[in-house]
Amino acid sequence: MSTSSQNAGPFTPEQQQYLQGFVAGAEAARMARGLPTFASVAGTLVVPSSAGGTRSATTTGDHPARAEDIHRAMQDRFVAEGKKLTSEEQAKRDKNPFEMWDEMRANAAAGKFPKGTDVFLYKFHGLFYVAPAQNAFMCRLRFAGGITNSHQFRGVADIADKWGGGYADVTTRANLQIREIQPQHSLDVITALIDLGIVNRGAGADNIRNITASPTSGIDAQELIDTHELAREMHHYILNHREMYGLPRKFNIAFDGGGTIAALADTNDIGFMAVRVDDGHDVPAGVYFRMELGGITGHKDFARDCGLLLKPDQCVPVAAAVVRVFLEHGDRTDRTKARLKYVLDRFGLDEYVAKVQEHLPFPLRRFPLEKCVAHGPVEPLAHIGVHWQLQPGKSYVGVVLPVGRLNCEQMRGLARIADRYGSGTIRLTVWQNLLISDIDATEIETVKHQIEKLGLHWSATNIRAGLVACTGNAGCKYAASNTKSDALRIADYLDSRLTLDVPLNIHLTGCHHSCAQHYIGDIGLLATKVSQEDEQIEAYHVFLGGGYGDNRAIGREIYQSVAADEVPRRIEQMLLAYLAHRRDDEESFREFTRRHSTEELLSLFQSAVAAAA
């Protein structure tokens, strides 16, 4: 080393910034892996301060520092590189959303909604200020695997009646939402939910959303394994690990046990898919899980198989490790590129899995997918109507909910039915409906009648059974149309004009966030606005041929900017062309659209218009 180097003066500001970022990144990576940090020998974690210099976070021996410090160190790495954090990341950096209770209490007492980035931070408590669509809060709940009970369901109805709009919506994550909550009642809702045993912490913002699973877990004769306990274990792991909150972006996890109702696991950031391995391989025969990563169909991507074979009891620790790698490497400077998919695109699956392995005390097992025995077929209508259970003499009933909405009296009525004729269990599905399980065969006709008395039904046409719609502009500021109203109008029109003898999925989503997953529908509708006579009217882009699971595909756009009033007739033309030109009665609409080019489809649809005229 030269004399001039040895006698060099203090580091320049640029050098200090670089070194702070380097140290923060190294320390955070070790903390996230549960390894002793370089500073733990001295009992102190040195973290660069946003105000300049450094600050210390006390540690004890080999114990990692607080979860907040892990996330802050990751932010520091971007700052040290001269990048600007997103406003949401800065908000999390400036204020711990779980230390806002007194502030939230003061706002409630004053009847005030949050302002600025506090609107984002309130979502950590499941409270969404949805103005201008509604000058009110929406509260999103959490039910592990979508399973709840009559007591909770009745309690949610009471909360919605007392402090909400008198209804609740079943969502596409097998969850419930309460709407039209005024600010003075925001914490009344949260505390009442906790009293019911419903902890909705992290139901929104940059957190892991409601854990979904096969809705017929434990009662499905076809399933390979009951996934509800895994969903429940994952749910409680998240609630009790602070580092699982405040991720670079939202995160979805699903477990599919191989039942007859699809859990849409391949549309999640992590999808666990049950498989069977028979004798004759280098692993014991039995039921395992494959793990798929990076599903986000709103960005036109499905989850990809990682090449791993996991024992059931390995799923939760592996999922936690996947999340930890994501929090280390997810982008905190660009919200549009912050989801897991983009980390996978940057690293590749193999490198990402190698980083996951660093967080685990056991080796991950590689095993070819083609040596696994897949589960049985998904039944498109298994979520609707009466179906036998695994338990002898028992059945479940899938209740049709018009685009997922229930008024409070209907909720109380369904709770009564579940109590009187079932086990009190209510199972929410990703198809915006619910199942009442454990009903004796002798009571089925009575249950059907009781459901009908509530103004609901247990059967549906093929049009209505697969109808999915997001909240729309009646309750979401991002939506360009009233999707729920338009969905019902489409169903009313089509049911009055034709009879469809095969299942059909129609998905309506109000914006690019794709909460209703329009890309995976047989027919997908994405709302937009178009100009007509000097005003903006509601319209939809139309996509065809989407699918999921064994039929996964991203739908292709066939029409652009079709006025909402015209959409029912346009779909009628497509269905008439399908009925006239399908190969046989067994060919689905999805299969029909996939075997024709866009030009061929447009010609067939136009011929249907001419024939109708």
Side-chain angles (χ1 to χ4, degrees):
M1 183 179 292
S2 68
T3 304
S4 60
S5 297
Q6 289 174 328
N7 295 332
F11 292 116
T12 66
E14 291 77 12
Q15 289 171 327
Q16 291 176 10
Q17 185 182 58
Y18 170 79
L19 289 171
Q20 288 169 4
F22 177 82
V23 172
E27 292 283 69
R30 294 180 68 82
M31 284 191 298
R33 296 184 182 107
L35 298 174
T37 63
F38 301 123
S40 65
V41 174
T44 300
L45 169 68
V46 180
V47 182
S49 168
S50 58
T54 61
R55 62 186 178 85
S56 297
T58 301
T59 62
T60 303
D62 291 346
H63 294 294
R66 297 180 310 157
E68 291 86 348
D69 291 322
I70 298 174
H71 289 279
R72 178 176 284 271
M74 297 307 165
Q75 294 169 338
D76 286 339
R77 191 167 61 191
F78 287 102
V79 173
E81 294 171 358
K83 297 179 180 179
K84 183 180 179 181
L85 298 175
T86 64
S87 59
E88 291 84 359
E89 286 297 320
Q90 191 63 49
K92 292 183 288 187
R93 186 179 179 88
D94 293 340
K95 184 188 296 185
N96 186 333
F98 295 130
E99 295 177 0
M100 292 178 62
W101 189 261
D102 291 344
E103 183 179 348
M104 294 170 69
R105 175 65 70 191
N107 283 345
K112 293 181 179 179
F113 289 107
K115 295 181 179 180
T117 53
D118 281 355
V119 173
F120 169 74
L121 296 178
Y122 264 59
K123 295 178 183 179
F124 279 70
H125 300 268
L127 289 169
F128 292 67
Y129 179 38
V130 295
Q134 293 173 338
N135 193 37
F137 283 117
M138 176 270 285
C139 185
R140 183 182 292 155
L141 314 188
R142 293 184 81 101
F143 300 100
I147 295 182
T148 181
N149 57 60
S150 57
H151 170 68
Q152 289 182 333
F153 207 68
R154 190 180 296 109
V156 172
D158 292 342
I159 292 170
D161 229 0
K162 187 173 183 179
W163 296 308
Y167 61 91
D169 288 334
V170 179
T171 77
T172 53
R173 288 207 64 78
N175 201 357
L176 291 175
Q177 293 179 352
I178 303 171
R179 293 187 167 272
E180 301 185 42
I181 302 164
Q182 291 305 299
Q184 61 269 30
H185 299 308
S186 56
L187 297 194
D188 292 326
V189 170
I190 296 298
T191 53
L193 288 172
I194 293 172
D195 289 344
L196 288 170
I198 301 170
V199 181
N200 69 331
R201 170 174 287 210
D206 296 340
N207 299 303
I208 303 172
R209 302 300 175 81
N210 197 49
I211 306 300
T212 58
S214 300
T216 51
S217 294
I219 64 171
D220 194 322
Q222 176 179 288
E223 72 179 359
L224 297 176
I225 188 171
D226 182 346
T227 54
H228 178 241
E229 282 307 309
L230 285 172
R232 186 170 175 270
E233 184 183 349
M234 190 80 247
H235 169 84
H236 285 285
Y237 184 96
I238 294 163
L239 291 179
N240 289 285
H241 285 78
R242 176 64 184 84
E243 73 275 14
M244 294 287 109
Y245 295 90
L247 304 176
R249 206 65 165 86
K250 73 175 184 178
F251 205 92
N252 294 323
I253 301 175
F255 295 87
D256 190 328
T260 54
I261 303 178
L264 299 181
D266 55 352
T267 68
N268 286 252
D269 294 282
I270 304 177
F272 291 106
M273 325 285 282
V275 294
R276 193 180 76 248
V277 175
D278 290 337
D279 291 322
H281 300 290
D282 59 353
V283 299
V287 173
Y288 296 86
F289 281 92
R290 306 291 300 190
M291 182 173 71
E292 297 184 344
L293 294 180
I296 176 171
T297 57
H299 293 221
K300 301 183 179 182
D301 217 348
F302 287 95
R304 291 163 273 173
D305 185 81
C306 293
L308 302 177
L309 193 68
L310 301 176
K311 298 176 183 177
D313 62 2
Q314 294 176 326
C315 289
V316 171
V318 169
V322 170
V323 174
R324 287 192 173 91
V325 176
F326 175 58
L327 72 85
E328 288 178 21
H329 297 284
D331 195 333
R332 297 178 188 259
T333 66
D334 183 354
R335 301 283 286 179
T336 66
K337 302 291 184 181
R339 291 290 296 272
L340 176 63
K341 162 189 161 55
Y342 295 101
V343 183
L344 292 169
D345 287 348
R346 191 165 76 244
F347 287 163
L349 269 177
D350 288 344
E351 183 177 345
Y352 196 96
V353 170
K355 292 181 181 298
V356 170
Q357 179 66 82
E358 294 175 11
H359 290 269
L360 294 168
F362 54 84
L364 293 169
R365 185 198 303 271
R366 293 277 180 177
F367 193 80
L369 177 61
E370 58 270 18
K371 292 185 178 180
C372 298
V373 180
H375 56 69
V378 167
E379 168 51 55
L381 297 178
H383 65 294
I384 297 296
V386 179
H387 301 270
W388 288 109
Q389 293 183 191
L390 173 65
Q391 295 76 16
K394 299 288 186 179
S395 295
Y396 71 85
V397 177
V399 182
V400 182
L401 309 180
V403 289
R405 180 154 292 179
L406 284 165
N407 66 46
C408 293
E409 282 308 306
Q410 289 172 329
M411 293 179 71
R412 294 187 186 100
L414 291 171
R416 284 195 300 271
I417 293 171
D419 271 339
R420 182 169 180 180
Y421 302 104
S423 60
T425 301
I426 293 174
R427 300 162 180 263
L428 307 173
T429 86
V430 298
W431 302 102
Q432 292 187 310
N433 82 308
L434 61 83
L435 319 178
I436 299 175
S437 60
D438 312 308
I439 301 168
D440 287 336
T442 56
E443 303 284 10
I444 287 297
E445 293 305 317
T446 302
V447 168
K448 289 180 181 178
H449 178 64
Q450 293 297 320
I451 291 170
E452 292 171 6
K453 284 176 63 176
L454 295 173
L456 300 170
H457 216 281
W458 48 272
S459 68
T461 64
N462 282 310
I463 298 292
R464 294 182 189 273
L467 195 62
V468 176
C470 71
T471 297
N473 61 14
C476 177
K477 65 182 179 181
Y478 299 110
S481 69
N482 191 333
T483 52
K484 287 190 181 295
S485 175
D486 289 342
L488 293 175
R489 189 150 50 97
I490 289 168
D492 289 342
Y493 179 86
L494 294 177
D495 279 341
S496 70
R497 305 276 293 186
L498 54 83
T499 299
L500 197 63
D501 55 359
V502 293
L504 181 77
N505 287 333
I506 304 176
H507 294 231
L508 294 86
T509 199
C511 73
H512 66 281
H513 291 122
S514 192
C515 292
Q517 300 186 318
H518 63 285
Y519 281 122
I520 69 169
D522 297 317
I523 300 174
L525 303 175
L526 173 61
T528 186
K529 295 283 190 183
V530 296
S531 297
Q532 186 178 87
E533 298 180 357
D534 299 324
E535 67 173 336
Q536 293 284 300
I537 66 168
E538 296 178 4
Y540 289 91
H541 304 310
V542 182
F543 299 80
L544 299 181
Y548 54 88
D550 294 339
N551 295 304
R552 67 176 64 177
I554 297 297
R556 56 180 153 143
E557 189 174 69
I558 194 83
Y559 294 117
Q560 283 191 337
S561 304
V562 180
D565 288 343
E566 173 61 22
V567 167
R569 286 184 290 276
R570 192 68 61 92
I571 295 177
E572 178 192 16
Q573 293 161 9
M574 294 190 294
L575 293 179
L576 288 174
Y578 156 67
L579 292 171
H581 297 283
R582 61 184 176 179
R583 283 175 172 161
D584 53 45
D585 292 348
E586 300 300 317
E587 184 176 44
S588 68
F589 181 79
R590 180 187 63 247
E591 292 165 339
F592 169 76
T593 58
R594 289 184 184 179
R595 69 177 172 88
H596 289 290
S597 69
T598 299
E599 293 73 20
E600 289 170 339
L601 288 174
L602 290 172
S603 176
L604 289 171
F605 297 158
Q606 188 58 41
S607 67
V609 175

